[in-house]
């Protein structure tokens, strides 16, 4: 199953807003899991993932803030059995 979340062209500001909201949602997900009783290994993995997401957002922000053109964004979720 494939769910299309975003498929369009946006201004650089709107693109940054959309991407930032997605990344912040994922960070909040990891933070909520950290608040639960989890193993030390899982805690470290989630902390590293949060740092990586923050770094990615910083990089995207730097790129998009200097773009004058519209930005195409395609975002979908693919659901499969594991």
């Amino acid at each position: 199953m494939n769910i299309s979340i975003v498929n369009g062209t946006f201004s650089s500001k709107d693109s940054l807003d959309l991407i930032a909201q997605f990344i912040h949602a994922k960070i909040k997900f990891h933070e909520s899991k950290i608040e639960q009783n989890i193993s030390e290994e899982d805690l470290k993995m989630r902390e590293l993932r949060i740092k990586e997401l923050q770094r990615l957002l910083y990089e995207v922000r730097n790129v998009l803030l200097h773009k004058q053109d519209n930005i195409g964004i395609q975002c979908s979720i693919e659901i499969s059995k594991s």
Side-chain angles (χ1 to χ4, degrees):
M1 173 182 219
N2 196 347
I3 303 168
S4 179
I5 304 295
V6 178
N7 187 3
T9 303
F10 305 89
S11 70
S12 58
K13 182 186 178 308
D14 287 344
S15 296
L16 179 57
D17 288 343
L18 274 171
I19 294 167
Q21 287 181 38
F22 286 128
I23 291 175
H24 286 300
K26 186 63 178 189
I27 289 171
K28 285 182 183 183
F29 171 79
H30 284 295
E31 288 173 341
S32 72
K33 293 296 184 180
I34 288 173
E35 291 174 1
Q36 300 172 7
N37 290 329
I38 59 174
S39 69
E40 186 71 23
E41 181 180 323
D42 195 31
L43 174 70
K44 288 180 182 181
M45 181 275 302
R46 291 186 187 281
E47 287 175 340
L48 286 173
R49 184 63 181 138
I50 289 170
K51 287 178 185 177
E52 175 67 12
L53 288 165
Q54 291 169 333
R55 185 189 64 76
L56 287 171
L57 180 55
Y58 175 80
E59 289 178 9
V60 167
R61 181 175 283 125
N62 283 338
V63 169
L64 293 181
L65 287 178
H66 295 95
K67 292 271 187 189
Q68 300 298 321
D69 302 331
N70 286 338
I71 309 294
I73 298 177
Q74 291 79 41
C75 176
S76 63
I77 297 172
E78 183 178 326
I79 300 172
S80 60
K81 293 182 181 181
S82 55

